[in-house]
Amino acid sequence: MDKAKVQKSKSKFGKFLDMIEVVGNKLPTPAVLFILFSLLIMIVSHICYKLGVTVTYEGINRETSQIENITVSAVSLLTADGIRYIFLNAVNNFTSFAPLGTVLVAMLGVGVAEETGFISALLRKMVTSTPKRLITYVVVFLGIMSNIASDAGYVVLVPIGAVIFLSFGRHPLAGLAAAFAGVSGGFSANLLVGPTDTLLAGLSTEAAKILNHSYVVNPASNWIFMIVSTFVITFLGAIVTEKVIEPRLGEYKGSASIETTELNDKEKRGLKFSLIGFIGFLVVLGFLIVPENAILRNPETGSLIKNSPFMDSIVFIIMLLFTSVGVFYGIGSSTVKGEKDVINCMSKTMGTMGSYLVLVFFASQFIQYFSYTNLGTILAVKGATALEAINFKGIPLIISFVILTAFINLFMGSASAKWAIMAPVFIPMFMQLGYSPEFTQLAYRIGDSTTNIISPLMNYFAVIVAFAQKYDEESGIGTLISTMLPYSMTFLIGWTILLIIWMLLKLPIGTLSTSIEYVVSLGQSIL
């Protein structure tokens, strides 16, 4: 870490963050650290296995969507079966790791846009036409909105956030942090109803049927609250970035840079060509998604959002979009003279991904080991049982539930997996206390979002570490956690306060009377 980069804060909290960063970065490199984490999981899993740690809970089978009594026991990685699992699944753990394909496919397109000069020219155009005061808010807001495109925000918007800040002469890690905070810390907030709303609503419906067989949770049931949350998280994220993160990072002293000069005639011509490519891409995409029986809609339901080829292929679509605008820019600016130039752009980008691939190999083993051993499920069930036994009521109960969810989220990243376990416990319990399933789901989503950005178990955490190392080779897990912790704490406190205000004022949290098809059509018109 460049000593000039980190300005020691006089506040106790600043010193605490400095300590986290120093201690975290004195640990081995991220790849080695994930190896050590994996070894630790092996030992802990074997101890729990020998002790016969088992939990039984009434949960939702995600394959059948039925409420079942599920018994889960700790599985050891140090038994004969466990060791066979390690050897037999090493390759599959790596190749099936969700972020791997997402990152590599998206980077093929982003690489074309970057190497042809499109991204640089576009950002320089932005620098000269966008009020500097609004940039932080725009980056955080776009991060939140990117959730509608599933995981694409992690691999597209987060690195672009760093480049945007760098183009404005600001610290790129602050831009990366602001985008990451929006994409992941504000995961549930959005102006639109998306796949997460539909997925969680289905699980909530099954849990509610334990007490009321006819109860249905609408995917739009948290919509109003999430619209307001989008602006609240945007404001909080921008304030943390400008008042806490940037002063702590100080002036950027690294070697990465981006030109901020005026565009020349070739670059202006390239941007005009890229606009043609963008419009052409949208026209083609429109034919694939707008008609009632469009190819990329769900063949059975006609939905554009739920279980549709469009949403399932969003990363490939984004790759094609960046490739299109990049190629057209290259033709207009004369940086692309043939198909070989395009392939060379992709190859050059893939050539920079070596260290990322090494990191992902070991990170994927660690995350899969944690899942295989059932330690995350056991922790979730034990936590739910403990909160149920406390017998809190009212606001203390809701706060405790949000905090518990946030804590479990550090060890079990999947929103649906956690909710499949927790919903059958807490939805009936809260229903008997007078809280609707929609409200319980809402409280869960706050805790589920706010600690994503500080959990090494979150699928894309290793990806973000790799992005950060582009601007500071010595940055590691300690740097990222210490940078993101202020966001996590602020989002958790601020979002929970917003929820309490909503409770006290008895405001509507969603539009139960609004059909989901109307919401989807609104999303289509905006997209």
Side-chain angles (χ1 to χ4, degrees):
M1 174 67 65
D2 187 346
K3 293 181 179 179
K5 186 184 71 173
V6 180
Q7 297 178 343
K8 296 293 182 181
S9 172
K10 294 181 180 180
S11 70
K12 291 182 179 179
F13 183 63
K15 291 179 180 178
F16 172 66
L17 294 179
D18 292 338
M19 181 187 69
I20 291 177
E21 179 173 9
V22 170
V23 172
N25 288 344
K26 281 188 176 180
L27 295 172
T29 61
V32 174
L33 198 56
F34 279 116
I35 295 175
L36 296 177
F37 284 160
S38 298
L39 294 174
L40 179 62
I41 291 298
M42 293 178 189
I43 296 170
V44 172
S45 69
H46 193 67
I47 293 174
C48 291
Y49 168 75
K50 284 295 186 181
L51 293 176
V53 176
T54 300
V55 293
T56 300
Y57 63 96
E58 193 173 41
I60 300 173
N61 186 318
R62 286 187 289 165
E63 294 182 0
T64 63
S65 295
Q66 299 296 314
I67 302 292
E68 300 176 2
N69 284 324
I70 301 173
T71 299
V72 173
S73 302
V75 177
S76 173
L77 283 166
L78 295 180
T79 61
D81 287 340
I83 293 172
R84 277 191 287 267
Y85 169 83
I86 292 173
F87 278 82
L88 291 173
N89 290 275
V91 174
N92 187 59
N93 289 345
F94 176 55
T95 57
S96 64
F97 190 54
L100 179 64
T102 301
V103 171
L104 295 182
V105 171
M107 288 304 293
L108 286 173
V110 172
V112 174
E114 184 174 8
E115 295 298 328
T116 58
F118 168 74
I119 290 179
S120 174
L122 183 64
L123 291 175
R124 284 156 60 198
K125 179 67 174 178
M126 182 187 300
V127 169
T128 60
S129 58
T130 304
K132 292 185 178 182
R133 187 71 186 88
L134 297 179
I135 283 298
T136 309
Y137 294 87
V138 170
V139 169
V140 178
F141 175 76
L142 291 178
I144 296 171
M145 292 302 297
S146 72
N147 296 323
I148 197 69
S150 188
D151 295 339
Y154 287 104
V155 295
V156 176
L157 193 64
V158 173
I160 287 180
V163 177
I164 289 174
F165 268 48
L166 184 61
S167 67
F168 275 83
R170 299 167 66 178
H171 204 297
L173 291 187
L176 180 145
F180 186 31
V183 171
S184 196
F187 178 72
S188 277
N190 211 292
L191 298 182
L192 304 175
V193 173
T196 300
D197 298 272
T198 303
L199 178 62
L200 295 183
L203 296 174
S204 297
T205 295
E206 295 304 318
K209 286 181 178 179
I210 293 175
L211 294 184
N212 185 340
H213 291 291
S214 62
Y215 205 102
V216 175
V217 177
N218 191 296
S221 62
N222 296 153
W223 192 31
I224 293 177
F225 186 85
M226 288 308 172
I227 289 174
V228 175
S229 296
T230 299
F231 296 105
V232 170
I233 295 300
T234 297
F235 174 76
L236 293 177
I239 293 299
V240 170
T241 301
E242 295 180 351
K243 302 299 182 182
V244 179
I245 304 304
E246 285 193 283
R248 181 171 178 273
L249 290 173
E251 183 182 355
Y252 180 59
K253 301 293 185 179
S255 58
S257 63
I258 186 170
E259 294 182 39
T260 56
T261 57
E262 291 290 333
L263 299 177
N264 59 40
D265 291 339
K266 283 189 175 182
E267 290 169 329
K268 291 178 180 178
R269 185 169 181 265
L271 286 179
K272 290 179 181 178
F273 271 59
S274 69
L275 180 59
I276 295 173
F278 178 68
I279 294 174
F281 180 85
L282 291 184
V283 170
V284 174
L285 184 62
F287 280 115
L288 295 174
I289 65 175
V290 173
E292 185 177 349
N293 296 318
I295 294 174
L296 294 185
R297 287 178 175 270
N298 186 304
E300 297 178 359
T301 66
S303 173
L304 182 65
I305 301 297
K306 186 177 181 180
N307 298 325
S308 70
F310 172 69
M311 291 306 300
D312 291 342
S313 61
I314 194 70
V315 173
F316 180 62
I317 291 171
I318 289 174
M319 186 272 280
L320 293 177
L321 171 61
F322 275 92
T323 301
S324 299
V325 295
V327 169
F328 271 80
Y329 174 87
I331 294 172
S333 64
S334 300
T335 57
V336 170
K337 296 180 174 60
E339 71 282 355
K340 289 184 179 179
D341 292 329
V342 177
I343 299 302
N344 287 338
C345 289
M346 293 182 174
S347 300
K348 186 175 181 180
T349 299
M350 289 297 103
T352 65
M353 302 298 290
S355 59
Y356 164 74
L357 294 175
V358 173
L359 176 60
V360 163
F361 176 79
F362 295 111
S364 64
Q365 307 305 321
F366 166 63
I367 291 173
Q368 291 301 319
Y369 291 172
F370 204 84
S371 174
Y372 174 81
T373 58
N374 291 327
L375 294 180
T377 301
I378 291 170
L379 181 63
V381 174
K382 293 287 187 182
T385 303
L387 180 57
E388 194 174 13
I390 293 175
N391 201 29
F392 277 162
K393 294 182 179 180
I395 291 177
L397 172 64
I398 300 303
I399 294 175
S400 299
F401 178 58
V402 171
I403 292 174
L404 172 68
T405 304
F407 176 73
I408 293 175
N409 190 52
L410 293 171
F411 306 94
M412 193 175 186
S414 170
S416 59
K418 285 195 303 294
W419 196 224
I421 295 170
M422 297 176 69
V425 176
F426 289 107
I427 282 185
M429 181 178 108
F430 281 31
M431 285 175 74
Q432 294 180 58
L433 294 174
Y435 298 108
S436 69
E438 292 83 2
F439 181 83
T440 307
Q441 174 185 279
L442 180 59
Y444 166 79
R445 295 176 73 174
I446 292 174
D448 176 61
S449 297
T450 52
T451 51
N452 284 333
I453 49 182
I454 58 172
S455 172
L457 275 168
M458 196 272 290
N459 280 346
Y460 285 89
F461 195 85
V463 177
I464 309 303
V465 171
F467 287 150
Q469 289 177 336
K470 178 179 179 179
Y471 301 98
D472 178 8
E473 294 180 356
E474 297 182 18
S475 66
I477 290 178
T479 302
L480 188 57
I481 291 179
S482 65
T483 300
M484 301 312 300
L485 185 60
Y487 292 104
S488 184
M489 295 175 62
T490 302
F491 288 177
L492 180 60
I493 295 171
W495 217 343
T496 303
I497 291 174
L498 179 65
L499 181 63
I500 292 171
I501 293 172
W502 228 261
M503 290 175 61
L504 295 176
L505 297 179
K506 298 181 179 180
L507 298 172
I509 60 174
T511 53
L512 293 175
S513 60
T514 303
S515 72
I516 186 58
E517 286 304 316
Y518 169 76
V519 178
V520 171
S521 66
L522 175 63
Q524 289 176 231
S525 66
I526 294 175
L527 290 173

